[in-house]
Amino acid sequence: MPAKTRRAPSWLALFRRMISGAVPRAPMTSLLNLRLLEADEGRVVFGAVPAAAHYNGMGVVHGGLAAALLDSALGCAVNTMARRGQVFTTLELKVNFTRPLTREVGPIRCEARVIQIGSRVATAEGRVVDEAGKLYAHGTTTCILVEQGPRGSRGSQGSR
């Protein structure tokens, strides 16, 4: 009898294991101290707490923090709906900043939802808000879905 091959867990299952602490978070999220808080099919929430390490030379949090929150949440929301063996790469990220972030804002969160997913292209939208629901940034993404090659390879479409 042939050995049973194990299927890789779905992205949603993997994200839920990250939330529980059973799987380590990605290095970039550790660097910026982003946390995956919630994951459902087509919806992901990331959180962060603006800190002095996030500040730019103008005395406010660098826009890259909100952009990284959006890019992470938007892409992961798309991944929750991707077929097994598919990964995404961002084709476009559009971010609108509505007001500056500072340490005094406290915890922020980015909720992202898939708008549409097809066989090759997906779109999603997200919002960065504080605990009171005040909007600091919002954005959209367009992602291309590609088949994942062996770990470390570029696969048929290249990698990020």
Side-chain angles (χ1 to χ4, degrees), residues 75-151:
C76 288
V78 167
N79 269 347
T80 66
M81 296 184 70
R83 293 188 321 266
R84 285 188 194 272
Q86 279 188 323
V87 294
F88 82 94
T89 190
T90 302
L91 289 174
E92 177 189 47
L93 177 65
K94 169 71 167 98
V95 179
N96 294 288
F97 301 101
T98 61
R99 58 178 44 90
L101 279 167
T102 63
R103 289 182 295 190
E104 291 72 31
V105 168
I108 55 175
R109 56 189 277 127
C110 178
E111 181 173 344
R113 293 181 183 274
V114 170
I115 298 169
Q116 188 275 337
I117 188 163
S119 62
R120 297 272 299 157
V121 175
T123 57
E125 61 189 357
R127 298 167 50 92
V128 176
V129 299
D130 66 13
E131 289 183 319
K134 186 182 283 187
L135 183 67
Y136 288 83
H138 59 96
T140 57
T141 193
T142 302
C143 298
I144 187 167
L145 298 163
V146 296
E147 298 305 314
Q148 186 175 27
R151 188 156 181 81

Side-chain angles (χ1 to χ4, degrees), residues 25 28-38 45-54 61-70 72-73 101-111 127-132 136:
R25 59 186 170 160
M28 181 64 173
T29 60
S30 293
L31 179 65
L32 294 176
N33 203 19
L34 310 181
R35 296 263 179 213
L36 180 56
L37 303 175
E38 300 173 31
V45 178
F46 270 81
V49 179
H54 298 129
V61 171
H62 189 282
L65 179 65
L69 266 173
L70 281 159
S72 297
L101 279 167
T102 63
R103 289 182 295 190
E104 291 72 31
V105 168
I108 55 175
R109 56 189 277 127
C110 178
E111 181 173 344
R127 298 167 50 92
V128 176
V129 299
D130 66 13
E131 289 183 319
Y136 288 83

